[in-house]
Amino acid sequence: MPSASEIRFVADRMLGRLARTLRLLGYDTLYSSTITPAEVTALAAGERIILTCGYADKRFPGCANVFSIASDYAPEQLGEVVRAFHLDTRTGLWSRCTLCNTTIEPVEKSAIRAEVEPKVYELYSEFYRCSGCGHVYWRGSHVERILRNLDALLGRPPEVN
């Protein structure tokens, strides 16, 4: 299986939810809601796989590194990409910011005190910060829900922590 460091994507503007989920899995995925096909082509430059819902031959003529997704439903789109590229969906999990695509790194709890709600600060001990946009993450109850949804979506047994 290719690791998150071995495969990179650029998603066209119709695939925002898919792009965020690929980032959650640790895959470097460029995306903007205003990106044009010409910008996607330039960003791919043969080093990224272009993900599109459109007609690949019409939207990206001459590009060999295009994957056209059949489904309009985001969870099915993820399944298509995971199967097509045999993606590792565990190793890079939670290593990339879902908002800006930059890496996430551990941060001292005291450094984020003013950036989170007091209850969050009280309840959790481990925090992470995006090295790009500065967004703060922690492993709250939402993480377990997301993991359960991913397991169900990808048809795999739940991970035992």
Side-chain angles (χ1 to χ4, degrees), residues 19-117:
R20 285 188 299 278
T21 306
L22 287 169
R23 290 171 177 174
L24 177 107
L25 295 173
Y27 289 91
D28 181 346
T29 306
L30 299 179
Y31 167 80
S32 168
S33 61
T34 60
I35 199 165
T36 66
E39 291 169 325
V40 168
T41 301
L43 287 169
E47 296 180 15
R48 290 180 181 273
I49 296 165
I50 298 171
L51 301 175
T52 186
C53 270
Y55 295 102
D57 54 340
K58 290 182 182 178
R59 297 194 78 211
F60 305 101
C63 291
N65 56 333
V66 181
F67 181 71
S68 188
I69 295 169
S71 180
D72 290 331
Y73 183 54
E76 290 174 3
Q77 292 171 346
L78 178 64
E80 285 183 52
V81 174
V82 167
R83 285 187 298 278
F85 298 100
H86 309 285
L87 300 183
D88 176 350
T89 59
R90 298 226 193 250
T91 305
L93 197 62
W94 310 112
S95 62
R96 195 166 281 282
C97 181
T98 59
L99 303 175
C100 77
N101 195 43
T102 310
T103 57
I104 295 170
E105 299 168 356
V107 63
E108 289 295 322
K109 182 176 180 174
S110 59
I112 54 84
R113 182 179 204 120
E115 299 174 58
V116 298
E117 296 293 322

Side-chain angles (χ1 to χ4, degrees), residues 135-154:
H135 187 79
V136 176
Y137 293 88
W138 61 93
R139 193 177 175 102
S141 59
H142 63 287
V143 170
E144 297 309 318
R145 184 184 73 248
I146 291 168
L147 290 173
R148 282 192 307 274
N149 289 342
L150 276 172
D151 287 340
L153 174 70
L154 297 171

